[in-house]
Amino acid sequence: MDTSGTPVWVRVALDVPLAGPFDYRAWQPVQIGLRVIVPFGRRQLIGVITALPAEPAVDPSVVRDVEQVLHDVPPMPADWLRLTGFAADYYQRPVGEVMLPALPGPLRKPSAYLGKRAGAGPVARSDVRAQKRKKADEVASAAVPKPCLNAEQQAAVDAIAARQGFSPVLLHGVTGSGKTEIYLRAVEQTLAQGRQALLLVPEINLTPQLQQVLVSRLQAIAGSHGVAVLHSGLAEGDRLAAWMQAVRGQARVVLGTRLALLTPLPELGLIVVDEEHDPSYKQQEGLRYSARDLAVWRAHDAGITVLLGSATPSLETWHHARNGRYLLLSLPTRAVSSTPPDIRLIDTRRLTLKEGMSPELTDAIGKRLEQGQQALIFLNRRGYSPVLNCTACGWVSGCTHCSTYMVVHRGKTGALLRCHHCGARERIPRACPDCGNQDLQPMGRGTQRVEEHLAELFPQARIARIDADSTRLKGSAERLFGQVHAGEVDILVGTQMVAKGHDFRNLGLVGVLNADAMLFSHDFRAPERLFAQLMQVAGRAGRHTGGSQVMIQTGYPEQAVYQALMRHDYVGFAAHGLAERESAGLPPFAHQALLTAESGELAQTLAFLSQAREVAEAAENQGQPPVLSDGLPCFPPPGTVTLYDPVPLRVVRVNNVERAQLLAESASRPALQAFLRAWLARLPALPGARRVRWQLEVDPLEI
């Protein structure tokens, strides 16, 4: 690098677990938002320039030089820098840990730019491949006519079109009410204004179906290559190509999962969050952000509409809509003439179940098959059986690495025990390890066992199972769903993968097994999740045929969740749930953060969390001057934040690591944020901090 000119001080965000950003010296003109290759210790890293300070924050003599300025991607725009900066501040993470993971893999690897094999760089190579693929893919597709809107849909479309500036809109529509069509009309209106649209869906396996509709419907407006798809299942090259299309403005519509939210979009005019209640929008590793919440912030920053859609909105979103913070648009009836399914509760307390299925449900499946209709059996538990048991001494198949059971799985090579937490695998023992008894029995049932039982009951039926095991291979989920849509499947057995967003045209019956598993969870959000899950899967039935049924097997039919389901009464359920939350001081009437720690010993983990609680309580009790001499941020006034006792997690040991958590709660979001900043500044200095791994999650979904 030429060092004969005048140096420029640059502040660079790096993906490292340190506060940062870090100061460097550049010997050529640079801009905020450009990527650079810099030395960091003995490594070379790619970072993003966040500022051009007049002087470095440290002694200039120790500041190192930028090794290379990268110009293959335009500088990250100011709105993207604000978005990532807000996310870093709110979720209490270094800004580099937000910015860099949001970029496609090749753009953050120095090896892609350095050395003889780097060539012109990853973007140039991607552009060459994209041109070849574009020529090969240029085949005209038939335009799909727009369906006619009913009065409710048209009113919703008109209301969205009339919004100006920042406008959060909740589209609450029953399953089958045509929410997707309203999304498409809003997207078309946005494209007609010359702007881009971002559509978020919760699951990867939903994108192919929606992408096909989008490409067909939007080809006339956006062109055959105007839709870019972004999700974590893409190969690195494919993700880079789609990302570059979006950044350059070539892709007018971006369809993706939560990671798509952090894509720079130069002409963003609309954000749609489908199934906004879905927990998949919350990242559970690294930066633990909520894509839905950041979508609302991004729309506010850009002054545009954010459209949140769901048949069962989260209680937080519903609370905002009822208080007038969000515009509430309702679609109380289905878009087609079919009536909602009849929901029936099967009281299992006085029944003899065969492989977990009641005679009433079995008979109903047979009748639907005779009528030429499809049936869906929903069980949110994969595998063959949750646990293997010795009938003589009571031994169960516990995992040696985790405080949980190993699940029985059956495959082409035989049966195995697998841990769903650490991934450990073992062969089924020939005899009980404790007493030698050879009569080992599977307890409970998963989707594999239900599939096997149905094959015995209905040998002529075509049965398919869709869960995380049957869809491991790339494209397998799309292929299986395609078979269901084509009528090549009579009985579908599945987990929550089958509950969201799929339009099964000939599905006349939904049977739900083991619904009570979530009913008495320690998590206060469990009833909300159960209601949403059952309402979603129930909504798959009868979307194009009348007389459909949903049969839910339960030992507690009197529970409020089930009674509201029978009435299709989300509004009543939400009112009851919010009243309970308000009386208990739970979100959305309080704000929470969760400090989680893990180490090889539970006592060590709990000791660190106890120290973390003590340091906060000591600072509050002693009082603080307005400015601390050591430069640490101050805690808010005493009594504004409550710290609970450290407790082990429900599954305390995973892969030989013992885990525990500490909950912080406040009625004031600003007070909680101020507390977290002061708290996190002190945690690294605690005696036990180096013996554990710890992380903070703001607005946790699971406690």
Side-chain angles (χ1 to χ4, degrees), residues 204-282:
I204 290 174
N205 63 64
L206 294 184
T207 56
Q209 181 182 359
L210 192 54
Q211 180 189 4
Q212 185 178 8
V213 174
L214 279 170
V215 170
S216 301
R217 289 281 302 277
L218 301 175
Q219 186 178 17
I221 299 175
S224 60
H225 298 277
V227 179
V229 179
L230 286 167
H231 57 74
S232 60
L234 293 174
E236 282 194 344
D238 293 337
R239 182 184 170 192
L240 175 59
W243 191 87
M244 288 302 302
Q245 277 188 298
V247 170
R248 291 166 173 165
Q250 298 166 345
R252 308 309 296 167
V253 180
V254 175
L255 169 68
T257 52
R258 61 175 179 261
L259 65 81
L261 177 73
L262 297 177
T263 303
L265 297 169
E267 299 168 326
L268 182 61
L270 171 72
I271 303 176
V272 176
V273 184
D274 186 30
E275 307 291 2
E276 65 84 27
H277 68 278
D278 198 287
S280 299
Y281 285 120
K282 184 68 183 288

Side-chain angles (χ1 to χ4, degrees), residues 159 163 168-173 308 313 317-318 320-322 324-331 570-571:
R163 307 298 288 182
V169 179
L170 172 59
L171 181 63
H172 174 224
L308 311 174
T317 298
W318 185 254
H320 289 322
R322 301 299 292 179
R325 296 188 185 95
Y326 296 174
L327 172 67
L328 176 60
L329 302 177
S330 296
L331 301 176
Y570 169 80
V571 175

Side-chain angles (χ1 to χ4, degrees), residues 42-333:
R42 297 182 179 180
R43 296 181 293 165
Q44 291 171 311
L45 298 177
I46 288 182
V48 177
I49 298 176
T50 61
L52 302 175
E55 296 291 338
V58 297
D59 184 353
S61 64
V62 301
V63 175
R64 304 170 76 177
D65 290 342
V66 169
E67 295 186 359
Q68 188 174 338
V69 180
L70 304 176
H71 295 280
D72 55 343
V73 174
M76 298 296 114
D79 65 323
W80 185 85
L81 295 173
R82 290 194 301 271
L83 173 65
T84 53
F86 169 80
D89 183 62
Y90 184 78
Y91 293 106
Q92 306 290 332
R93 299 291 294 226
V95 69
E97 291 189 352
V98 181
M99 290 182 173
L100 277 302
L103 305 179
L107 298 186
R108 55 180 191 265
K109 295 179 180 178
S111 59
Y113 295 90
L114 303 175
K116 296 180 180 179
R117 301 183 63 181
V123 174
R125 293 193 296 271
S126 175
D127 288 344
V128 172
R129 289 193 296 268
Q131 286 297 323
K132 293 179 180 179
R133 190 181 300 116
K134 183 176 180 180
K135 293 179 180 179
D137 292 346
E138 283 181 348
V139 178
S141 60
V144 178
K146 297 181 183 179
C148 295
L149 301 180
N150 59 31
E152 295 168 355
Q153 289 175 305
Q154 188 61 57
V157 170
D158 294 342
I160 295 169
R163 307 298 288 182
Q164 300 291 329
F166 169 59
S167 181
V169 179
L170 172 59
L171 181 63
H172 174 224
V174 299
T175 53
S177 59
K179 294 186 292 294
T180 300
E181 183 59 33
I182 293 176
Y183 302 158
L184 292 170
R185 298 296 177 99
V187 168
E188 290 178 352
Q189 293 170 354
T190 303
L191 299 187
Q193 298 168 4
R195 308 189 74 177
Q196 293 172 291
L198 171 63
L199 274 74
L200 300 181
V201 294
E203 300 282 356
I204 290 174
N205 63 64
L206 294 184
T207 56
Q209 181 182 359
L210 192 54
Q211 180 189 4
Q212 185 178 8
V213 174
L214 279 170
V215 170
S216 301
R217 289 281 302 277
L218 301 175
Q219 186 178 17
I221 299 175
S224 60
H225 298 277
V227 179
V229 179
L230 286 167
H231 57 74
S232 60
L234 293 174
E236 282 194 344
D238 293 337
R239 182 184 170 192
L240 175 59
W243 191 87
M244 288 302 302
Q245 277 188 298
V247 170
R248 291 166 173 165
Q250 298 166 345
R252 308 309 296 167
V253 180
V254 175
L255 169 68
T257 52
R258 61 175 179 261
L259 65 81
L261 177 73
L262 297 177
T263 303
L265 297 169
E267 299 168 326
L268 182 61
L270 171 72
I271 303 176
V272 176
V273 184
D274 186 30
E275 307 291 2
E276 65 84 27
H277 68 278
D278 198 287
S280 299
Y281 285 120
K282 184 68 183 288
Q283 172 82 10
Q284 293 299 328
E285 297 177 355
L287 173 70
R288 301 196 169 197
Y289 69 96
S290 166
R292 178 201 64 202
D293 295 348
L294 284 184
V296 175
W297 190 93
R298 187 173 188 179
H300 177 270
D301 183 66
I304 61 175
T305 295
V306 55
L307 179 57
L308 311 174
S310 177
T312 55
S314 67
L315 292 187
E316 287 83 358
T317 298
W318 185 254
H319 179 64
H320 289 322
R322 301 299 292 179
N323 286 348
R325 296 188 185 95
Y326 296 174
L327 172 67
L328 176 60
L329 302 177
S330 296
L331 301 176
T333 59

